[in-house]
Amino acid sequence: MIHTLERTQFIPAPIERVWLYFSTPENLNALTPPEMHFEILGAPPAMYQGQLIAYRIRVAPSVRVRWLTEIRHVREGAFFVDEQRAGPYRLWYHEHHFTPVDGGVQMTDRVTYALRFGLLGDLVHALWVHRTLHRIFDYRRQAVSRLFNQT
């Protein structure tokens, strides 16, 4: 089954500052809950279309996996899409949209994803993955608020 998670957040900062932050791969560390032990492998430069970025994350106690994403689409200052090439999901397509509005930027994350293992994957989604992803994006919302409200 294919699932979608969408979150929208207002960021009280100019689009140039917001875009610079989110288009810098190393900033993902600050947006990911510490218990995930998120680690970028290597030192990727500023984001560009076609870029491959390798990570290692903890998906469960004592279970770390490698994750490879490709930056599939980029429209400078407006949106980018990362898509999993190898990792824990059967499908992971993450759109990041940035829209200038009065006083800042409206940021929308839309993740389209599916688990492996058919019906078993659907059960794991219902029991664990759905909540985990919501918790990760709740953390991300709080981190963005802290980062951009400190100015």
Side-chain angles (χ1 to χ4, degrees):
M1 180 180 289
I2 295 177
H3 307 278
T4 302
L5 171 66
E6 186 168 316
R7 293 286 181 92
T8 299
Q9 181 173 5
F10 174 75
I11 303 172
I15 186 67
E16 297 80 12
R17 182 167 169 238
V18 172
W19 179 260
L20 179 63
Y21 187 83
F22 284 93
S23 65
T24 303
E26 67 190 34
N27 289 333
L28 275 170
N29 290 324
L31 301 174
T32 305
E35 66 270 12
M36 294 191 71
H37 299 277
F38 181 87
E39 176 188 4
I40 294 178
L41 304 176
M47 185 180 57
Y48 59 89
Q49 189 166 321
Q51 181 179 27
L52 295 174
I53 304 171
Y55 316 93
R56 191 171 20 234
I57 61 168
R58 190 174 99 175
V59 294
S62 301
V63 180
R64 290 180 58 109
V65 298
R66 291 178 66 105
W67 190 327
L68 179 66
T69 60
E70 178 181 356
I71 303 301
R72 295 282 294 160
H73 308 284
V74 177
R75 183 176 302 148
E76 182 95 17
F79 74 91
F80 67 93
V81 175
D82 64 84
E83 185 173 4
Q84 176 189 282
R85 288 286 161 250
Y89 291 87
R90 182 171 57 85
L91 167 69
W92 180 271
Y93 189 83
H94 185 178
E95 303 170 53
H96 310 254
H97 295 269
F98 305 91
T99 306
V101 295
D102 286 343
V105 175
Q106 190 79 27
M107 178 181 73
T108 301
D109 282 296
R110 183 178 306 113
V111 182
T112 305
Y113 65 98
L115 299 176
R116 301 177 193 284
F117 310 117
L119 291 175
L120 178 59
D122 291 342
L123 179 62
V124 170
H125 179 265
L127 295 175
W128 182 62
V129 173
H130 180 263
R131 270 186 312 212
T132 300
L133 285 177
H134 280 266
R135 193 170 58 249
I136 291 167
F137 277 86
D138 289 346
Y139 180 91
R140 180 181 172 103
R141 174 183 294 280
Q142 293 169 357
V144 168
S145 288
R146 282 191 307 272
L147 287 162
F148 286 95
N149 288 331
Q150 290 180 350
T151 60

